[in-house]
Amino acid sequence: MKFSVATLSLAIFCQSQQSASAFTVGSENRINLKLSASENVDDLTPKEIPKPTALIPKIDREEGVSSPEPSTVTPLVDVVEEAEPSTAVEEVKEAVLEPKEIQPAVDLEQASAIKSLSGVSVTSVRTNESVELSNFLQSGDDKSMLILGTYAADFNAIEYVQRLRYYLPQLKEKGVEKIGLVLNCGVDAAKSLVELLDLETDATASDSESVAVELFVDPLGEAGRKFGVGTGWRPEDDEMSPYVKLFGMLFGLGAWATLPAVIGGYIGNPFYGQPWIEDATAVGQMKGRWPNTALELDESTGEVKVNKFKELPYVGSWERRPLELATLRLQNMMDISIKNWKDLAPTETALKAGVLTQLGGCVVVDCK
């Protein structure tokens, strides 16, 4: 699935923003099956206890097809006919609730995501070694998350990293213990971006073993295309300048959600909060980025003492105040994208591969 500028929330899973896609596998199916089974058991009376033969599936005979021998069909539950009714009910209940007796359906979304990344490799920024993504996703002890980002100077990549920084503690609480961040850029650009945004990764932290986020690079964006991310407006047109394509996408061409996301940054939202915005703005102010007057910060700790958007008349009590996100985006544009364009911009080879207009995606896999 795809995401654009305002689509990338990590919860993300904690708030699961607009077009980012997550596939969490298995747990819901198991819970639903278990509840359904227990409800059926409670309705049983002694006279409803099935005979052993009743648990063998009935196979309608068709011409030329014979039923299998009874010995080839294994009953789901063995019920002793001579047992006391109350004992038999307990045996049925215990057997139905036994996890080994319940086989959850295969999650097609997970299988599809893993298959699309099978044989697809990216480069670890820390070790400079190749990492196969389907193996990475399935190698965690609990849940693994993979973010397929865009090029380092892109608003999509910047805002997703800002969200990831804020929601990382909550992701860990939800069992997401292994996170891979793929950027369509070189090693130096990837390290520069996460350092600008104050996100600890295995490639930038002093203690790489204790960091959940592993930083990868894929300069030509091949992994994202294999996964099926959006490729923007006129991706097959080799004659048109990639910058002209990008300009068209600002008006929704090839990326319909762009305009609603931009407009939403100005008008706010009275119902739906995005607390990561305040955190990212505070990081920007601590690093001296402009605009730098939206928040009053504790100089020693960096904690927010006053958010001036919350003091606005009528709209200050909104979950997301008007101009709040637009102010952060101005910070990102002026002091990250433009100021560091030379270091973060895609190479000519990457431009020809289409990374300037390529979008991103996200997948979460339950490894249990």
Side-chain angles (χ1 to χ4, degrees):
M1 307 268 306
K2 301 123 182 159
F3 62 85
S4 58
V5 172
T7 61
L8 312 171
S9 139
L10 304 157
I12 167 197
F13 329 144
C14 304
Q15 60 184 44
S16 190
Q17 286 304 114
Q18 305 182 17
S19 18
S21 147
F23 311 105
T24 303
V25 179
S27 57
E28 272 192 29
N29 292 335
R30 287 195 291 272
I31 292 169
N32 290 339
L33 284 170
K34 187 170 181 179
L35 290 176
S36 175
S38 64
E39 288 170 2
N40 292 338
V41 168
D42 290 339
D43 292 338
L44 285 176
T45 62
K47 65 180 180 180
E48 292 173 323
I49 298 171
K51 303 295 188 203
T53 55
L55 294 171
I56 299 176
K58 179 182 178 183
I59 302 175
D60 294 330
R61 292 181 179 274
E62 297 179 7
E63 187 175 351
V65 179
S66 59
S67 298
E69 293 297 324
S71 60
T72 64
V73 182
T74 304
L76 298 179
V77 182
D78 293 327
V79 180
V80 180
E81 210 169 349
E82 291 77 17
E84 291 296 324
S86 59
T87 304
V89 171
E90 290 300 316
E91 288 179 3
V92 171
K93 186 170 183 177
E94 182 180 355
V96 171
L97 295 181
E98 172 59 45
K100 294 181 180 179
E101 300 292 342
I102 300 174
Q103 299 295 331
V106 175
D107 191 305
L108 297 180
E109 285 184 325
Q110 171 182 269
S112 175
I114 292 175
K115 183 178 180 181
S116 69
L117 295 170
S118 179
V120 179
S121 297
V122 294
T123 302
S124 167
V125 173
R126 182 173 67 88
T127 66
N128 201 35
E129 295 177 352
S130 180
V131 177
E132 204 273 346
L133 291 179
S134 65
N135 288 336
F136 173 85
L137 275 172
Q138 299 176 86
S139 60
D141 295 327
D142 195 344
K143 297 180 181 68
S144 296
M145 175 180 175
L146 180 66
I147 302 163
L148 294 160
T150 53
Y151 66 95
D154 185 34
F155 288 169
N156 290 318
I158 293 169
E159 288 192 15
Y160 211 115
V161 171
Q162 288 171 328
R163 295 175 190 233
L164 178 58
R165 171 195 141 81
Y166 178 79
Y167 288 109
L168 190 56
Q170 296 179 46
L171 288 169
K172 291 180 179 179
E173 289 177 4
K174 297 292 184 181
V176 182
E177 298 179 349
K178 187 173 185 177
I179 300 172
L181 172 62
V182 181
L183 294 172
N184 298 337
C185 60
V187 167
D188 290 340
K191 292 173 70 173
S192 294
L193 180 63
V194 297
E195 287 171 349
L196 284 167
L197 299 176
D198 212 17
L199 174 70
E200 281 198 340
T201 70
D202 65 330
T204 55
S206 55
D207 182 11
S208 61
E209 298 299 324
S210 63
V211 178
V213 181
E214 298 182 40
L215 186 61
F216 304 119
V217 292
D218 178 28
L220 303 184
E222 295 175 358
R225 291 192 293 276
K226 289 285 187 181
F227 182 65
V229 303
T231 50
W233 183 44
R234 302 175 70 88
E236 306 301 327
D237 190 343
D238 296 330
E239 301 299 322
M240 181 179 287
S241 165
Y243 293 100
V244 173
K245 296 179 185 180
L246 182 63
F247 184 75
M249 289 177 67
L250 295 176
F251 296 94
L253 298 176
W256 66 268
T258 300
L259 277 178
V262 172
I263 294 170
Y266 289 96
I267 64 175
N269 191 316
F271 311 109
Y272 187 72
Q274 292 178 295
W276 66 272
I277 297 172
E278 182 179 271
D279 178 75
T281 304
V283 171
Q285 285 192 199
M286 289 289 289
K287 291 182 176 290
R289 296 182 192 129
W290 182 88
N292 58 359
T293 57
L295 307 175
E296 291 184 9
L297 305 176
D298 185 300
E299 293 183 1
S300 59
T301 64
E303 293 183 3
V304 177
K305 295 195 295 184
V306 178
N307 182 338
K308 294 181 182 178
F309 288 105
K310 293 181 179 180
E311 297 180 338
L312 292 172
Y314 303 111
V315 297
S317 60
W318 284 17
E319 291 296 322
R320 191 179 78 214
R321 278 67 58 182
L323 300 178
E324 190 172 18
L325 180 54
T327 300
L328 172 63
R329 286 174 172 164
L330 183 58
Q331 258 194 13
N332 292 343
M333 180 180 71
M334 297 297 294
D335 277 343
I336 298 179
S337 290
I338 293 178
K339 182 180 285 187
N340 300 280
W341 178 257
K342 184 177 180 181
D343 297 327
L344 303 181
T347 64
E348 285 297 321
T349 304
L351 287 174
K352 291 179 181 178
V355 301
L356 192 69
T357 54
Q358 182 169 312
L359 303 179
C362 175
V363 59
V364 175
V365 170
D366 190 342
C367 302
K368 289 184 177 179

